[in-house]
């Protein structure tokens, strides 16, 4: 019967009434799907074959159960358990702990330290995802995946960034409420998604600010308008990626899980 020839479909990509009698994912002279997954770091080739057999893998939205399926890792979108797997061989993803004094550009006409001093040998044409001002340290993402970089910085996707700021204390009880209600800056209202006091000691305090805004110096400006000049500032999280124990001035490759979560955060 015709219904028996219908391939399984991922409902996130196809409506329930979609019909197609052929498997449209096969690419002549492509690479075997289990090999692509294994090379991407999903699991061993044998384990990837089991995932395929269990219907956990989709290619361009279509569930593929054939062990011999051939795909194009550079152009087709592959998900495992609903999370996208980066399979294009030339795409790279890094996290850097940018030190204070480093400019968030790949070159600087004034000769100041810049990102290229740390990453120029990793891959050609890396994009830095957003910026950190020269006096701010912390997590910066770098990739040559232009679509992902653009979405991560676009405000419509609401990807949150978490900052720790050292400010003069004590902290009034209403500061969090004021920041979440909104602070009026010269370029418009800005609201914190959340606020917490991490530590208070004497005349200084460490506070946590989470927001999805990407305006220049936005954390410094909103805290200053609220009456708390920023002494030191660091970004410790960007979406699902955490700075963790990455030392200042060092760069690490993102894990497969982190990349998949970044894709999910921007609906890729």
């Amino acid at each position: 019967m015709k219904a028996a020839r219908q391939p399984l479909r991922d409902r996130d990509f196809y409506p329930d009434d979609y019909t197609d009698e052929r498997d449209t994912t096969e690419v002549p002279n492509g690479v075997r799907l289990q090999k692509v997954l294994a090379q991407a770091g999903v699991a061993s080739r044998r384990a990837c074959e089991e995932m395929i057999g269990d219907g956990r893998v989709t290619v361009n939205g279509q569930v593929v159960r054939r062990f011999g399926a051939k795909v194009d890792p550079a152009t087709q979108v592959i998900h495992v358990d609903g999370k996208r797997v980066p399979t294009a061989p030339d795409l790279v993803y890094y996290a850097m702990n940018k030190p204070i004094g480093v400019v968030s550009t790949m070159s600087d006409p004034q000769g100041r330290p810049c990102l290229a001093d740390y990453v120029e040998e990793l891959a050609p044409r890396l994009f830095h995802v957003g910026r950190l001002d020269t006096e701010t340290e912390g997590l910066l993402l770098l990739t040559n995946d232009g679509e992902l970089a653009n979405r991560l910085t676009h405000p419509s996707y609401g990807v949150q960034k978490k900052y720790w700021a050292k400010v003069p204390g004590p902290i009034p009880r209403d500061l969090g409420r004021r920041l979440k209600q909104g602070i009026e800056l010269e370029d418009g209202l800005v609201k914190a998604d959340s606020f917490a006091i991490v530590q208070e000691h004497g005349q200084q305090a460490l506070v946590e600010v989470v927001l999805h805004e990407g305006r220049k110096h936005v954390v410094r400006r909103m805290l200053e308008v609220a009456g708390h000049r920023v002494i030191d500032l660091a970004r410790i999280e960007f979406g699902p990626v955490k700075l963790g124990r990455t030392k200042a001035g060092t760069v690490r490759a993102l894990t497969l899980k982190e990349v998949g979560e970044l894709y999910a955060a921007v609906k890729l």
Side-chain angles (χ1 to χ4, degrees):
M1 294 176 62
K2 181 177 180 180
R5 297 196 299 268
Q6 299 302 313
L8 295 174
R9 298 279 178 183
D10 186 331
R11 292 184 178 181
D12 291 338
F13 285 78
Y14 294 91
D16 292 337
D17 60 351
Y18 184 91
T19 60
D20 186 346
E21 293 187 15
R22 2 181 235 106
D23 181 342
T24 59
T25 65
E26 186 73 12
V27 175
N29 301 317
V31 184
R32 290 183 183 274
L33 180 56
Q34 58 265 41
K35 181 179 180 180
V36 170
L37 294 175
Q39 289 179 335
V42 173
S44 68
R45 193 174 301 191
R46 179 53 187 252
C48 291
E49 289 177 350
E50 294 177 357
M51 292 177 181
I52 294 169
D54 291 340
R56 296 166 58 188
V57 180
T58 65
V59 179
N60 287 354
Q62 179 175 319
V63 176
V64 177
R65 292 179 181 267
R66 294 177 295 104
F67 296 151
K70 292 185 177 181
V71 299
D72 182 352
T75 61
Q76 291 181 297
V77 177
I78 300 173
H79 287 75
V80 176
D81 294 332
K83 288 193 174 180
R84 184 169 172 176
V85 177
T87 57
D90 59 335
L91 294 182
V92 294
Y93 308 85
Y94 297 105
M96 175 184 177
N97 186 349
K98 186 192 83 66
I100 292 174
V102 174
V103 183
S104 292
T105 58
M106 289 300 175
S107 63
D108 183 66
Q110 300 178 38
R112 294 171 295 181
C114 63
L115 299 180
D117 299 331
Y118 298 85
V119 303
E120 62 182 350
E121 296 181 1
L122 294 178
R125 298 188 66 251
L126 278 178
F127 305 102
H128 48 89
V129 182
R131 295 189 178 214
L132 291 175
D133 66 70
T134 308
E135 296 307 311
T136 299
E137 61 184 314
L139 181 60
L140 195 63
L141 302 182
L142 301 113
T143 181
N144 54 3
D145 187 335
E147 184 178 9
L148 177 63
N150 288 336
R151 290 199 181 200
L152 285 172
T153 54
H154 199 285
S156 65
Y157 292 98
V159 179
Q160 292 183 327
K161 279 81 76 174
K162 181 180 290 185
Y163 298 83
W164 277 5
K166 184 187 294 185
V167 298
I171 303 299
R173 291 183 178 182
D174 68 338
L175 179 58
R177 177 183 57 80
R178 291 172 58 202
L179 294 176
K180 287 185 284 186
Q181 286 182 342
I183 300 293
E184 190 67 47
L185 304 179
E186 64 271 20
D187 53 357
L189 189 72
V190 59
K191 297 181 180 181
D193 296 333
S194 68
F195 173 85
I197 299 173
V198 179
Q199 186 180 59
E200 281 189 285
H201 182 72
Q203 296 301 307
Q204 287 190 346
L206 184 65
V207 299
E208 177 181 289
V209 180
V210 177
L211 71 169
H212 57 271
E213 286 275 2
R215 283 183 260 173
K216 188 175 182 180
H217 306 311
V218 65
V219 178
R220 292 181 182 274
R221 289 191 292 145
M222 68 187 303
L223 284 171
E224 185 169 351
V225 170
H228 295 271
R229 177 183 58 85
V230 173
I231 301 169
D232 289 312
L233 181 64
R235 182 159 66 199
I236 62 169
E237 293 182 16
F238 194 123
V241 181
K242 295 176 172 56
L243 182 63
R245 297 184 178 181
T246 306
K247 295 181 179 179
T250 60
V251 181
R252 68 171 178 87
L254 295 185
T255 66
L256 187 67
K257 180 175 183 291
E258 287 174 322
V259 177
E261 289 176 342
L262 285 173
Y263 278 132
V266 295
K267 299 177 175 56
L268 278 175

